[in-house]
Amino acid sequence: MPVAEADGAVVGTADCPVLPNLTRGGRAILFVENAVVAGSSRRRGVGRRLMRAAVRTGESAGCYKVQLSAADDEYVHTFYESCGFQALAQGFRRHIG
């Protein structure tokens, strides 16, 4: 899990589970979930560093892609696009309980 620190305090994290996969020659997929940056540390490159760390984690694990879901806010989409991600699919979810 990438963790960003500043002045000895955690200011950002991202959960990055690697899931095995039977397609794409058995190459795994890395999912980015719960990417969070403390309000006082936003717009300082922390989120971008977390995304770079997530991609490096996927590369090190031999993943064929890094995938994430994003909030339906334009500024969030702009951020992920600036990190090299592309909006390519429509997702579905079903909440439990």
Side-chain angles (χ1 to χ4, degrees):
M1 169 172 69
V3 174
E5 295 182 10
D7 300 322
V10 173
V11 296
T13 64
D15 297 330
C16 295
V18 174
L19 278 74
N21 183 31
L22 293 176
T23 64
R24 305 286 179 154
R27 293 178 67 197
I29 302 167
L30 183 136
F31 287 90
V32 178
E33 290 287 332
N34 304 315
V36 179
V37 175
S40 61
S41 295
R42 292 185 184 151
R43 307 209 52 84
R44 296 176 188 226
V46 174
R48 192 169 311 284
R49 289 195 308 271
L50 287 171
M51 292 302 104
R52 279 197 302 263
V55 170
R56 282 195 307 271
T57 299
E59 290 170 341
S60 295
C63 296
Y64 84 93
K65 71 177 176 180
V66 174
Q67 183 169 311
L68 57 86
S69 295
D72 197 19
D73 293 312
E74 188 61 33
Y75 77 94
V76 174
H77 295 193
T78 299
F79 168 73
Y80 286 122
E81 288 169 354
S82 76
C83 292
F85 291 85
Q86 297 174 317
L88 295 176
Q90 179 177 352
F92 296 89
R93 74 178 58 141
R94 180 176 174 176
H95 292 275
I96 301 172

